[in-house]
Amino acid sequence: MNSPHATGTLRTGLTPAQAVEKLEHHYGAAVATARRVLETGISNGDFSDYADVTYPKLTVRVNSWHPVDRTEPFGYVDDAGLYSAVISKPTLLSAYLIEQLSRLNKNYDCTIFVSDSGIRIPPEYIDGLATTATQLTGARRSPEIPRPSLDDVDDAIIDGDWDAFHQDEKPLFHFTPQRFDIACARIEHYTGIAVDTVQKFILFTNYDMHTREFLRFGLAELRNPHSRYRALVLADGTEITAETIDMVDVDQLVGAVKYQMPRFDLVAADNYGITMINIGVGPSNAKTITDCLAVLRPEAWVMIGHCAGLDGRMRMGDLILGNAYQRSDHLLDGHIPINLPIPAVPEVQRALEASVTEIYGSDLSLMRTGTVISTDDRNWEWHTPKALWEWLRGSTAVGCDMESATLAGNGYRYRIPYGTLLSVSDLPLHAVPKLPAAAQTFYSNSKEAHVMCAVRAVEHLAETPERLRTRKLRRTVAEVPFR
C-alpha cells in the first residue's frame, strides 16, 4: 500500500466533515473530467487527461495509542500509525464516513488527510459512462483508460488476509474502491435500481406475495401524513409519493417486474427506511446479493421466509426465530471455517420477538426459538430415511430452509447484524410434505402477519439504531477501525 505522501497533495488537519467534503469534491471532479475526456476523445483521439480521473484516498494517522472505553463498538485500533482507504462514490457513504471518522477522532489524537490515490477509475464504474466505454474497443481504447479488472476485486480485508493487515498502512475500511464499484453495479444489475435508494434496513424474501404485502404497507404509509416515510421506489425505478399514490396498482406493479431480484425501497430520512428484496430461492442467490449490499454498510438485514418444520409438535404457520445456524449450504466454508459459530444478534432477536407479540398477541406458543439448518439441496427430504437420520443425528435444528444460514453467515462475515423469522410451511418428516393446495392455503393465511412482524421489528430498531452498534461481530484480530 502506498505512502499517503506518494501522490497528489496531502491535506492535513481536516475535521471529519471537511474530509468527507474533500473526498466528494475530488471524486466529483474526477467524474466530470472523465465525461469531458471521453466526449472529446472519441472524436479527436486524445485521452491524455484521463490520467486525472482517480479515486480519492482517505488516511488517518493515529498519533498515539491508549486504551479506550471497553464498550466502544468500533472506532478503535490496536496500534498508533497510519490507516487508509481508497474511496469510491463517497456521497453514498457520506453520513457513514463522518460518523466513523468522528468516532475515531474522539477516541484518539488523530490527523485526517485526503489525497489523490493515483488509482484511475474505469469509466464502466462511472454513472452514465458505461455505454460510452463500450465504444472504446480494441485499438480505440487508449492505454490511459483503465479497464475494470477482477485482479483489483477481492475480500482480503473482510476475510482477514495477513498481507492486507501487515503493510505500512493498515486498512481503514473493509473494501477496495473497485470492489465497492462492482458491487454497486451488480446491485443495479440484479435488482434493476441504482444503489442510491437502498435503505439501512433490508428484508429478504422468496415470494412475490411478500413484496405485495410490503407494497401495500408502504402505500398506506404514504397516505398517512404523520408517517416517517416519504417515497416508495419500485423495481422499475418509479418513485411513488403521497402526490402520485392514487395512480398505483400493486398487483400490476409486482407482476410487471422483469429483474432477477426485484427490489422495493420504502424511503425515509437519511435512508433509514426499509428495503425489501425478493432474492429467489437458494443459498447462492443469498450470498450473491449480500456480497454486494455489504459495501453500503446497512444497519441490519432480516430473512422472512418459509421452512420445513422438523419437530412433530409443530403446526403449519408456526414461527421459528432463528437463534443458531447449522450450515449445510457449503458456500461460505472457504471464508468462515465451519467450526466457527454464527451467533444470534440479541438486539435483532429481541426486536423480532417483540414484533411477534405485537402482531399475534401475548400467546407465543406458535413461535419457537431454535436452530435453523440451511441446505443447498432443495429436495433434501427425498433422501432415504436412513440418510436423513444420519444427516440430522445430533442436530437440534427445528427448521430447514435454503437461505437463512447463508444470510446469517455473510452478516457475520461482513459485520452486519442479521436475523431470521421463518414460517413453517410443511412437516416433511411427519407426513406433511409441501404440496400445492395446502401450500397456497397456508400462504394466503400467513403472508400479511409474517411480513408485518419483520417490518415492525426493523421499525423499532430504526428508532434507536445505536442498539445495533454491537461488539459481538467484531474480530479478535484483522479488524478495521470502521463499523
Side-chain angles (χ1 to χ4, degrees):
M1 193 176 292
N2 293 332
S3 162
H5 299 278
T7 57
T9 302
L10 196 65
R11 301 180 184 276
T12 62
L14 300 175
T15 67
Q18 288 171 338
V20 173
E21 181 181 359
K22 291 190 180 301
L23 289 171
E24 293 177 334
H25 180 267
H26 179 114
Y27 186 82
V31 167
T33 299
R35 296 187 194 283
R36 174 180 58 79
V37 169
L38 290 189
E39 181 179 342
T40 59
I42 286 176
S43 58
N44 64 22
D46 181 8
F47 297 98
S48 57
D49 284 349
Y50 205 91
D52 297 326
V53 181
T54 57
Y55 295 105
K57 179 178 179 181
L58 174 65
T59 304
V60 177
R61 179 188 293 128
V62 177
N63 297 310
S64 61
W65 184 91
H66 58 84
V68 299
D69 187 334
R70 63 173 63 87
T71 65
E72 283 291 88
F74 50 83
Y76 59 85
V77 296
D78 292 330
D79 300 288
L82 290 172
Y83 295 80
S84 65
V86 179
I87 303 294
S88 181
K89 299 179 174 63
T91 300
L92 279 179
L93 296 174
S94 59
Y96 166 85
L97 291 170
I98 290 173
E99 179 187 27
Q100 303 309 303
L101 289 170
S102 297
R103 198 87 172 219
L104 197 55
N105 204 38
K106 182 193 77 171
N107 287 334
Y108 303 99
D109 173 21
C110 292
T111 308
I112 303 173
F113 310 91
V114 171
S115 61
D116 182 349
S117 71
I119 301 173
R120 297 182 189 179
I121 308 172
E124 288 85 351
Y125 291 150
I126 296 175
D127 293 343
L129 290 187
T131 301
T132 303
T134 61
Q135 301 176 38
L136 303 173
T137 56
R140 296 196 64 193
R141 185 154 187 144
S142 167
E144 285 91 355
I145 301 176
R147 295 178 181 275
S149 171
L150 293 180
D151 292 342
D152 301 316
V153 175
D154 59 56
D155 274 335
I157 299 172
I158 278 291
D159 290 332
D161 181 79
W162 172 273
D163 291 336
F165 284 84
H166 291 81
Q167 302 290 329
D168 291 339
E169 298 176 24
K170 297 180 182 179
L172 185 66
F173 184 51
H174 312 78
F175 304 99
T176 65
Q178 299 92 338
R179 170 66 169 83
F180 189 96
D181 280 339
I182 198 168
C184 290
R186 288 192 175 175
I187 292 170
E188 182 171 357
H189 170 73
Y190 286 113
T191 71
I193 318 175
V195 299
D196 308 63
T197 56
V198 172
Q199 300 298 288
K200 297 292 186 182
F201 293 90
I202 301 172
L203 302 181
F204 298 113
T205 182
N206 310 117
Y207 294 96
D208 286 346
M209 63 182 177
H210 286 161
T211 60
R212 285 190 177 91
E213 294 304 320
F214 180 70
L215 286 174
R216 290 191 176 98
F217 165 74
L219 295 175
E221 286 294 308
L222 293 182
R223 290 189 175 97
N224 176 4
H226 304 294
S227 174
R228 71 188 187 95
Y229 302 107
R230 60 177 180 81
L232 179 62
V233 181
L234 306 179
D236 64 356
T238 301
E239 181 177 280
I240 300 171
T241 63
E243 290 72 30
T244 60
I245 193 171
D246 293 332
M247 302 157 56
V248 174
D249 183 317
V250 170
D251 291 324
Q252 286 185 0
L253 290 173
V254 175
V257 169
K258 304 299 183 186
Y259 297 97
Q260 184 174 344
M261 300 185 191
R263 184 181 113 220
F264 303 88
D265 300 327
L266 187 55
V267 179
D270 299 321
N271 281 358
Y272 270 85
I274 307 171
T275 283
M276 176 175 272
I277 306 176
N278 182 349
I279 62 174
V281 175
S284 181
N285 282 2
K287 180 180 183 297
T288 294
I289 194 64
T290 49
D291 280 346
C292 298
L293 290 166
V295 304
L296 301 177
R297 311 315 295 151
E299 294 283 0
W301 57 49
V302 175
M303 178 68 193
I304 51 171
H306 296 152
C307 70
L310 302 181
D311 187 329
R313 294 167 293 176
M314 291 179 170
R315 303 292 183 269
M316 297 270 283
D318 283 2
L319 298 175
I320 294 177
L321 177 58
N323 73 341
Y325 300 91
Q326 184 176 335
R327 292 163 48 204
S328 292
D329 57 341
H330 306 299
L331 283 181
L332 293 172
D333 295 358
H335 297 280
I336 308 170
I338 199 68
N339 63 321
L340 287 183
I342 306 297
V345 180
E347 294 80 3
V348 178
Q349 300 294 99
R350 287 192 288 267
L352 286 167
E353 186 170 352
S355 70
V356 172
T357 302
E358 178 182 339
I359 300 299
Y360 284 91
S362 58
D363 180 11
L364 292 182
S365 61
L366 60 73
M367 188 180 78
R368 174 79 172 268
T369 300
T371 299
V372 176
I373 183 171
S374 293
T375 175
D376 55 1
D377 180 2
R378 174 58 193 87
N379 297 320
W380 62 269
E381 66 268 43
W382 296 3
H383 293 288
T384 65
K386 182 179 180 181
L388 290 174
W389 178 280
E390 293 298 328
W391 184 46
L392 294 172
R393 184 178 60 175
S395 173
T396 60
V398 295
C400 181
D401 78 343
M402 298 189 71
E403 299 84 20
S404 292
T406 311
L407 293 167
N410 244 8
Y412 171 86
R413 180 176 166 229
Y414 289 116
R415 293 78 152 169
I416 294 168
Y418 47 85
T420 296
L421 185 66
L422 303 177
S423 187
V424 175
S425 60
D426 55 310
L427 297 156
L429 302 185
H430 302 89
V432 188
K434 183 178 286 187
L435 295 172
Q440 291 305 318
T441 300
F442 159 71
Y443 295 158
S444 178
N445 293 336
S446 69
K447 58 186 178 182
E448 181 180 3
H450 193 183
V451 169
M452 289 312 300
C453 285
V455 167
R456 294 304 181 202
V458 296
E459 285 192 316
H460 293 324
L461 291 169
E463 291 173 1
T464 52
E466 294 79 13
R467 287 184 291 173
L468 287 165
R469 307 295 161 76
T470 175
R471 294 171 291 168
K472 299 173 184 66
L473 301 181
R474 301 286 288 185
R475 303 293 193 269
T476 303
V477 297
E479 191 55 88
V480 301
F482 284 4
R483 174 179 67 81

